[in-house]
Amino acid sequence: MSSLIGLEAVTGIALKFAIEGKLTSAEEIETGHINSTWKVGFETEDGEVRRFILQRINASVFKDPMGVMRNVERVTRHINERVMRKKEDVSGQTLALYPGRDGRFWVPDEADGIWRCYNFIEGCRTYDVVENEGQAYQAARAFGAFQDLVSDLSPELLVETIPGFHDTRSRYEHLMAVVEENACGRVAEVGEELAFIREREGEVDRVLNLLGRGDIPLRITHNDTKINNVMIDEASDEAVCVIDLDTVMPGSVLYDFGDLVRTAVSPAEEDETELSKIVVRMPIFEALVDGYLSSAGGFLNDSEVTNLAFSAKLITLEVAMRFLTDHLEGDRYFKIHHAGHNLERCRAQLRLVAELEGKMGEMEACVLDRVKTLSCGARDSDG
């Protein structure tokens, strides 16, 4: 679904950023559910063309866009500083904000919208569906490395860009309230979906309870670890960096790992209507565990490790509830491409929940085996 922002308006915004050269191109990138995103090119006097990403923050979703920008600025600066300690040049390897001509890392438009500019990572692409185990490993390693890079940054320094984003109990209660109201008259068509969700109500509090008891710590997390938020080098198939930082805020690593599994473990896209295509590919799950633990295993505690497999089921159920809620409320949150799109997404996610339940024992055994292997490897190198 194309945005209502015109080329002329985007051109005007691009010129407000402190970028050297002449603006030569601008094209909208129509992937993603939330923000409006454009790719622009600038040509310098010596003929070099550099490309950048412009994004307008969706203020309907992010009620505090300045809080979003403060989070992004703090996190990108922290990551770049840490990477610079090991590498002299981080260009093309990390996400960086470019300032406006007034020195701020954002510029306003005539409708009081907030725009920011990132470097465009050349020679990379993203994937909506993981094609092989190598990509799964690299994506998981990238998200684990991201968490590791911010592990020494206090969660108290960041604001919640979407309060209660992963409060699964609140998501459940809101869905039930929307069902009761039935404002759009759509409840009658979703009886099976609601019954499936209600049967699993007892599991929505599990991670919340772990956080509440202090069994797992509050950390800075990405909170939107879809596979298409990792830039993959086209030549080497190696992960380059993590993108889409709007939801970086305090949270649990379990939410991050769970959402990564949700988006990677099935060969089908998240709105697949042929539900038989939605399956759990265990070799992909094993690669995700290997990649994630290779970069994040050093700071995870036992409770986090124990719940890694379950987190995939929990987040998939949460996302299904969000899609169903939006469908029942009239499709006000997620971008849709046709009528009933959010319901299709919900049904696909619920099918994946069922598939994950069928593989849960095997998935938990996989995590335990990988942790033991890593522990043995660490002892061997110490000895």
Side-chain angles (χ1 to χ4, degrees):
M1 182 176 69
S2 180
S3 74
L4 299 178
I5 301 170
L7 179 60
E8 183 178 350
V10 172
T11 298
I13 290 295
L15 295 175
K16 291 183 179 180
F17 285 95
I19 301 174
E20 179 187 0
K22 177 183 177 181
L23 179 65
T24 57
S25 64
E27 61 177 300
E28 186 173 10
I29 299 174
E30 296 186 18
T31 57
H33 296 315
I34 308 299
N35 296 318
S36 297
T37 304
W38 291 70
K39 180 169 62 178
V40 298
F42 282 79
E43 184 176 351
T44 61
E45 290 184 358
D46 60 4
E48 179 187 6
V49 176
R50 301 172 64 199
R51 295 189 290 179
F52 302 85
I53 294 295
L54 295 183
Q55 278 191 325
R56 187 181 195 270
I57 299 175
N58 187 330
S60 297
V61 174
F62 300 103
K63 306 298 184 183
D64 180 15
M66 294 310 305
V68 171
M69 288 309 302
R70 286 190 293 270
N71 280 6
V72 172
E73 184 179 351
R74 181 168 282 126
V75 167
T76 53
R77 183 174 64 247
H78 184 82
I79 288 175
N80 280 299
E81 287 173 353
R82 287 200 60 182
V83 174
M84 280 290 287
R85 295 171 196 165
K86 298 181 179 180
K87 301 178 181 179
E88 293 183 0
D89 181 15
V90 298
S91 60
Q93 300 171 346
T94 61
L95 204 59
L97 285 170
Y98 278 72
R101 296 191 181 276
D102 60 2
R104 298 178 298 185
F105 284 96
W106 57 275
V107 301
D109 60 22
E110 294 181 355
D112 295 325
I114 299 298
W115 290 76
R116 72 305 190 67
C117 178
Y118 290 118
N119 55 317
F120 179 78
I121 309 296
E122 299 286 354
C124 296
R125 62 164 295 182
T126 60
Y127 294 85
D128 289 324
V129 177
V130 170
E131 296 177 355
N132 55 58
E133 293 159 41
Q135 289 172 0
Y137 178 92
Q138 289 294 326
R141 183 180 64 81
F143 280 117
F146 173 85
Q147 291 176 352
D148 182 48
L149 285 167
V150 296
S151 62
D152 60 341
L153 188 62
S154 172
E156 296 179 358
L157 295 175
L158 302 189
V159 299
E160 282 190 276
T161 55
I162 304 179
F165 185 60
H166 278 306
D167 188 333
T168 320
R169 167 53 62 182
S170 292
R171 296 287 190 186
Y172 179 88
E173 297 297 346
H174 180 55
L175 172 59
M176 294 303 118
V178 169
V179 169
E180 185 67 25
E181 184 179 1
N182 195 19
C184 296
R186 296 177 174 180
V187 170
E189 64 180 336
V190 298
E192 290 186 14
E193 290 76 18
L194 287 171
F196 185 97
I197 292 169
R198 285 178 172 132
E199 288 173 0
R200 289 153 182 82
E201 179 188 358
E203 296 178 305
V204 303
D205 300 305
R206 184 159 161 179
V207 173
L208 294 171
N209 290 339
L210 289 171
L211 284 166
R213 293 194 302 264
D215 293 340
I216 60 175
L218 194 68
R219 304 185 189 273
I220 293 177
T221 48
H222 187 277
N223 294 296
D224 191 16
T225 51
K226 295 189 296 290
I227 186 66
N228 59 12
N229 280 333
V230 176
M231 299 298 293
I232 304 291
D233 186 275
E234 291 183 301
S236 66
D237 253 2
E238 293 185 356
V240 175
C241 73
V242 168
I243 60 173
D244 199 354
L245 307 181
D246 289 341
T247 53
V248 171
M249 56 183 165
S252 167
V253 296
L254 295 175
Y255 299 140
D256 274 8
F257 183 77
D259 205 26
L260 178 60
V261 174
R262 178 186 74 86
T263 58
V265 79
S266 173
E269 296 190 24
E270 70 176 10
D271 58 356
E272 177 61 58
T273 57
E274 194 171 331
L275 300 184
S276 62
K277 293 182 178 179
I278 301 172
V279 296
V280 173
R281 298 177 290 179
M282 280 305 300
I284 295 295
F285 178 79
E286 292 165 3
L288 292 172
V289 173
D290 287 342
Y292 184 69
L293 291 178
S294 73
S295 53
F299 64 82
L300 299 178
N301 72 18
D302 290 344
S303 291
E304 287 169 320
V305 171
T306 300
N307 285 279
L308 284 175
F310 169 77
S311 70
K313 174 185 173 181
L314 177 69
I315 293 302
T316 307
L317 182 63
E318 177 190 301
V319 173
M321 291 192 292
R322 293 177 61 197
F323 283 140
L324 184 56
T325 299
D326 200 29
H327 173 72
L328 296 178
E329 288 188 310
D331 308 302
R332 301 186 306 193
Y333 186 90
F334 297 105
K335 290 181 181 179
I336 61 169
H337 299 284
H338 53 264
H341 196 185
N342 276 321
L343 181 56
E344 292 171 356
R345 290 165 170 158
C346 167
R347 287 169 173 163
Q349 298 309 293
L350 293 182
R351 172 59 180 249
L352 183 54
V353 169
E355 294 295 310
L356 289 166
E357 288 176 339
K359 294 288 187 178
M360 190 56 59
E362 193 174 348
M363 291 164 60
E364 290 174 339
C366 168
V367 173
L368 181 61
D369 177 68
R370 294 314 196 267
V371 170
K372 288 180 178 178
T373 300
L374 284 174
S375 298
C376 290
R379 285 197 299 272
D380 289 343
S381 43
D382 288 343

